[in-house]
């Protein structure tokens, strides 16, 4: 399951990207499925405050065809906003496709909902 | 009693390629259950299992903490294992997010000191170093046990990086065997890296003497 919550935590780790951000990875050629998930306001709130890179999330959602999020990171976290966040972070699944590093252009494949991020010996930093 | 996760969807054909839950898996489940209160009190938001294999341990952690309270990330070098982990998540209604990679690979940058619960049941069997290197490169079932010198070569890489991964209040659960020299692991983590540890459980199973060690950061003197 590559959901946007996980995508938001993945960065390129190939040799040429050890000193750069290599983030966010760009989606390409994806097949997406939407699956309902159970809502948990406390989890979303603390994850949002602690860990989410907002620009990366907005950009990635847009690549998957979802433009529901505001461009500016909201300060006010109300229930409507949490519902939006819930859907974008947890209910959109990338089943097939690839993620491309913005820096070195390394391509990471996603198959059966699982990203393969293994590097060959000569690609390890 | 928290029930052992359902793995009836996995077949013998799966277990030709993926580590089948065994005594080391079960002592880890028992340790997590014994620590359930401590784990819940932490309200972890990010859990990560390195080497998730069948996914049994991550699914169990999900049963301890609840399926919506925490993000369950996992890695494995064996693509077949990642697939089994994903299915085991589905079977047990815990959303597991397996990634095929070595150790914490592509999560390292974004999860700097952010993992609240880290779990590793590593390849801990002492082998020739070359056997370990081949097994790591092979990304197949041999990578489940071959641990090189003292069975510690893969574990050692996680211990060295622990300070970069674990959040301030984070807990790290590690499976080890007697050959790994548990007292020396604990002493080194204390003296060199500032982690205190406890043995949550230990037991003898056949030829192996198994341990589950829990590491956490030492409270800084104020
Ligand atoms: C002893 S098995 C444990 C499997 C499962 N966690 C359990 O307890 O039943 C070790 C697992 O670690 C994986 N592994 C070995 N080396 C690894 C590495 N460098 N990075 C990630 N996973 C690794 C193996 O493929 C295997 O699935
Ligand atoms: Zn890169």
């Amino acid at each position: 399951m590559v959901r946007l919550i996980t995508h938001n935590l993945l960065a390129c780790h190939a040799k040429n990207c050890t000193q750069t951000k290599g983030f966010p990875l760009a989606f390409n050629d994806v097949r997406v499925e939407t699956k309902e998930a159970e809502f948990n306001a406390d989890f979303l709130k603390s994850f949002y405050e602690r860990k989410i890179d907002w620009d990366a999330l907005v950009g990635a959602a847009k690549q998957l065809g979802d433009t529901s999020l505001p461009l500016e990171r909201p300060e006010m976290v109300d229930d409507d906003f949490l519902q939006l966040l819930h859907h974008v972070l947890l209910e959109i699944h990338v089943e097939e496709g690839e993620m491309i590093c913005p820096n070195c252009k390394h391509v990471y494949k996603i198959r059966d909902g699982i990203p393969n991020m293994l590097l060959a010996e000569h690609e390890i930093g | 009693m928290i029930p052992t996760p359902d793995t009836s969807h996995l077949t013998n054909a799966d277990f030709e390629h993926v580590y089948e839950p065994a005594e080391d898996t079960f002592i880890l489940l028992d340790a997590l259950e014994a620590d359930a209160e401590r784990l819940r009190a932490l309200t972890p938001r990010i859990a990560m299992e390195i080497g998730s294999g069948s996914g049994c341990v991550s699914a169990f952690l999900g049963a301890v903490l609840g399926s919506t309270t925490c993000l369950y990330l996992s890695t494995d070098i064996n693509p077949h294992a990642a697939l089994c982990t994903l299915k085991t998540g589905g079977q047990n209604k815990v959303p597991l997010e397996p990634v095929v990679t070595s150790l914490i690979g592509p999560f390292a940058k974004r999860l700097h000191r952010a993992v609240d619960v880290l779990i590793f049941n590593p390849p801990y069997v002492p082998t020739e170093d070359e056997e370990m290197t081949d097994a790591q490169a092979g990304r197949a079932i041999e990578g489940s046990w071959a641990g090189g010198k003292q069975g510690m070569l893969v574990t050692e890489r996680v211990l060295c990086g622990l300070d970069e991964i674990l959040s301030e209040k984070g807990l790290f659960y590690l499976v080890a065997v007697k050959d790994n020299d548990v007292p020396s692991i604990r002493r080194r983590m204390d003296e060199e890296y500032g982690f205190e540890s406890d043995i949550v459980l230990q037991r003898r199973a056949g030829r192996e003497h198994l341990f589950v060690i829990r590491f956490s950061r030492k409270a800084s003197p104020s």
Side-chain angles (χ1 to χ4, degrees), chain A residues 118, chain B residues 17-22 24-26 28-29 49-58 75-79 81-82 85 99-105 119-124 135-136 139-146 154 157-158 175:
Chain A
L118 275 172
Chain B
H17 306 286
V18 178
Y19 192 78
E20 182 168 6
D24 49 327
T25 315
F26 300 131
L28 183 50
L29 300 190
E49 185 186 6
I50 302 173
S52 59
S54 64
C56 183
V57 178
S58 282
T75 69
D76 207 294
I77 47 169
N78 176 348
T85 297
V99 172
V100 182
T101 196
S102 180
L103 307 183
I104 67 159
I119 301 180
F120 193 21
N121 176 8
Y124 54 64
Q136 288 283 307
R139 297 156 186 184
I141 196 158
E142 292 76 13
S144 302
W145 58 77
V154 182
R157 293 168 59 198
V158 174
V175 176

Side-chain angles (χ1 to χ4, degrees), chain B residues 9-10 13 24 76 128 138 149 152 157 189 204 214:
Chain B
H9 56 292
L10 303 179
D24 49 327
D76 207 294
E128 294 294 322
K149 184 159 180 264
M152 279 299 290
R157 293 168 59 198
M189 288 311 286
R204 207 175 282 279
R214 179 189 60 235

